[in-house]
Amino acid sequence: MNHRCGVLLVVLACGCSIVDPSDRDELRNRIASLPPDRIDFLTKLSMDSATTKWFQTRDKNDQVGKLQCRYQAGGQWTNWADQEPPCTVADILDILLGTPKNITYVMAKDLWQSVETQARKTDLLNSLPIQGGATVECRFVWDFRYDPDKLPAEMTDPSAVDFDDIMQALIELPAPPPGWAFPELVPLLCPLGAGPGWGCPPNPTDPAGGEPTNPTGGQPGDRP
């Protein structure tokens, strides 16, 4: 009995709330019932979140990969040549944080590669004094440390993302992301700790969108 009282006092003193496992079950079941395209949206959101968090722990100057290009003139291809600048952790983060839709790690790399390939091809074609022009092609080469096969599966493999990963990614977001079309999930996120940016009350036990209750037991809207 004394042990139970001690635990209760600690919880009250911290102002913490205990998450009811049934709340997680209800949200998990609701996500599972969504159409496949909606689940795909949430899966990419989770992968985007996992990739962003992982990359934020890395050295911003680390090289993720590089572009190599070659050109053909007179029927002969040159050797592949490294191009500058390389793709860095900072580049990937800029794309992840600056793109208004959910993208995966490989999608972020593809966006960087597309822009840089066009720039390098233009530079090479303008600098080659070859009569009749030349054909240029480029490829991306991963740094072995950042090869998708070497990274956590939840960043690169949609099949490795489960509903709990999606739930955690949503709870950690400060507010609904661009393209959010799941208002029915918000009341289920609030008891699990989603923040005020979701329209959740400060106290997870308060009703979503309603007046926050007084944690000391007063009427809704009261604050000590």
Side-chain angles (χ1 to χ4, degrees):
M1 179 65 179
N2 289 338
H3 174 71
R4 291 182 180 177
C5 290
V7 172
L8 178 60
L9 287 172
V10 169
V11 172
L12 291 175
C14 294
C16 304
S17 62
I18 299 175
V19 174
D20 187 340
S22 66
D23 290 334
R24 295 189 68 87
D25 291 341
E26 185 176 359
L27 178 57
R28 187 183 297 109
N29 293 337
R30 185 67 65 89
I31 292 173
S33 69
L34 293 171
D37 63 318
R38 299 296 192 180
I39 294 178
D40 180 67
F41 175 94
L42 294 175
T43 298
K44 284 189 173 68
L45 182 149
S46 179
M47 295 174 72
D48 186 320
S49 175
T51 302
T52 300
K53 287 194 296 183
W54 191 85
F55 267 78
Q56 286 174 332
T57 68
R58 312 296 292 183
D59 185 333
K60 301 298 186 293
N61 296 315
D62 262 4
Q63 180 173 301
V64 172
K66 61 187 176 183
L67 208 60
Q68 293 182 334
C69 297
R70 65 178 183 172
Y71 65 89
Q72 183 188 52
Q76 297 293 320
W77 282 101
T78 64
N79 293 326
W80 291 103
D82 293 349
Q83 304 297 307
E84 293 290 340
C87 179
T88 65
V89 167
D91 292 323
I92 295 296
L93 276 175
D94 284 345
I95 295 171
L96 290 169
L97 297 172
T99 304
K101 62 180 180 179
N102 300 322
I103 59 172
T104 65
Y105 173 46
V106 174
M107 291 168 68
K109 184 277 295 182
D110 288 345
L111 286 172
W112 182 92
Q113 181 179 353
S114 175
V115 172
E116 290 299 319
T117 294
Q118 186 57 51
R120 299 291 77 75
K121 282 185 175 181
T122 299
D123 289 346
L124 283 170
L125 289 172
N126 289 337
S127 65
L128 295 174
I130 300 174
Q131 188 172 5
T135 300
V136 178
E137 64 179 19
C138 300
R139 67 183 182 185
F140 187 87
V141 180
W142 294 101
D143 182 293
F144 74 94
R145 298 168 300 165
Y146 290 92
D147 187 303
D149 291 338
K150 303 289 196 306
L151 300 186
E154 61 269 20
M155 292 168 48
T156 60
D157 182 4
S159 66
V161 178
D162 59 27
F163 294 139
D164 284 318
D165 293 326
I166 292 173
M167 290 159 55
Q168 191 60 37
L170 292 174
I171 292 167
E172 292 176 356
L173 285 174
W180 180 255
F182 312 92
E184 72 277 15
L185 298 185
V186 175
L188 303 177
L189 287 167
C190 290
L192 299 178
W198 286 90
C200 298
N203 185 341
T205 60
D206 293 337
E211 287 286 338
T213 58
N214 184 339
T216 63
Q219 294 299 313
D222 291 344
R223 287 294 177 192

